[in-house]
Amino acid sequence: MYVNPRHRLTDRDTMFALMASHPLGAWVCHGDHGLVANHVPFLLDRSRGPFGTLIGHVSRANKVWRDLGPASSSVVMFQGPQAYITPGWYPGKSEHGKVVPTWNYVVAHAHGVARAIEDREWLFDMLRRLTQVHEAPQAAPWSVSDAPASFMDKMMRAIVGIEIPIDRLEGKLKASQDEAMSDRVGTVRGLGDQACDAARAMAALVQEAIDAEVAGSL
């Protein structure tokens, strides 16, 4: 991934937070006939390895797990808030006109070698942990044990676990850092006026980048 030095995101905990809050990863690996892409809700186990370990599952009918070998390199891409940035928000538009649209976004790329797991106990524990995380906000959280054991056995026979120990993390935060400060402030205002949550989340990221830069210059 190309990363302008101004946009480089290196803080591991920030990337971990992004991966946890946007867990549907775009997983790309090598298959028998070239690159294979799948979208998988991963759980990040921060306690395993210096960059954590991703765990999840795919359908047994998805042949991707059969193509994995001992050197099957993978990358899982996690995307956070993103938004189109119009130059109409920039004071520079009326001052000199030398402005163009852009797109802001934040991503984390997790690299590692994936392996398939068919062990029943591993699968059960993975499903238990995955649902615990995502059911937590519910008033009456569902748990794996709520379903009949025979039904869960059937369901687990239809999936294969995926585990990816992360050996490299890349992060990119494109939050208007390379624009004039007045235009960045205009971007925060413009995004904040939008109705969608993603735009407002990006407004917060642009403001955080401004605050960090100002603090660093003091």
Side-chain angles (χ1 to χ4, degrees):
M1 172 174 63
Y2 168 73
V3 183
N4 181 307
R6 288 175 176 261
H7 304 149
R8 186 169 290 119
L9 181 60
T10 59
D11 184 73
R12 187 189 66 170
D13 289 340
T14 300
M15 287 186 277
F16 278 0
L18 168 64
M19 295 157 70
S21 61
H22 297 81
L24 183 65
W27 172 35
V28 179
C29 61
H30 291 280
D32 286 345
H33 303 289
L35 294 176
V36 178
N38 285 275
H39 298 270
V40 178
F42 281 104
L43 179 67
L44 173 65
D45 187 339
R46 306 185 187 200
S47 68
R48 297 178 55 198
F51 301 110
T53 295
L54 296 173
I55 59 175
H57 66 279
V58 296
S59 167
R60 184 171 288 275
N62 185 341
K63 68 183 297 289
V64 63
W65 67 274
R66 298 182 186 276
D67 292 342
L68 298 177
S72 297
S73 59
S74 292
V75 59
V76 184
M77 294 166 281
F78 298 89
Q79 180 175 301
Q82 52 86 25
Y84 172 77
I85 308 301
T86 172
W89 294 332
Y90 296 170
K93 177 178 179 290
S94 58
E95 292 170 4
H96 49 72
K98 298 177 181 179
V99 294
V100 294
T102 191
W103 209 287
N104 280 357
Y105 57 92
V106 56
V107 293
H109 291 186
H111 298 260
V113 176
R115 73 183 184 103
I117 301 176
E118 298 183 79
D119 179 76
R120 185 192 181 284
E121 290 187 8
W122 188 97
L123 288 170
F124 187 88
D125 184 63
M126 176 271 300
L127 292 173
R128 179 187 61 79
R129 295 171 66 190
L130 190 65
T131 52
Q132 275 185 343
V133 168
H134 297 295
E135 286 287 327
Q138 302 301 318
W142 180 89
S143 67
V144 174
S145 60
D146 289 341
S150 58
F151 175 75
M152 287 307 304
D153 284 339
K154 178 182 178 181
M155 291 294 98
M156 285 191 291
R157 288 196 296 271
I159 64 173
V160 174
I162 300 295
E163 182 176 82
I164 307 175
I166 302 171
D167 57 42
R168 181 163 59 96
L169 267 178
E170 294 180 297
K172 183 173 183 178
L173 171 63
K174 187 173 181 295
S176 300
Q177 298 98 319
D178 45 358
E179 306 296 341
M181 184 59 74
S182 61
D183 292 342
R184 295 166 72 178
V185 172
T187 294
V188 173
R189 185 179 303 111
L191 287 169
D193 289 339
Q194 303 303 297
C196 66
D197 292 340
R200 292 175 179 173
M202 179 51 66
L205 289 175
V206 176
Q207 186 62 59
E208 287 174 12
I210 292 173
D211 293 345
E213 187 172 316
V214 171
S217 65
L218 296 179

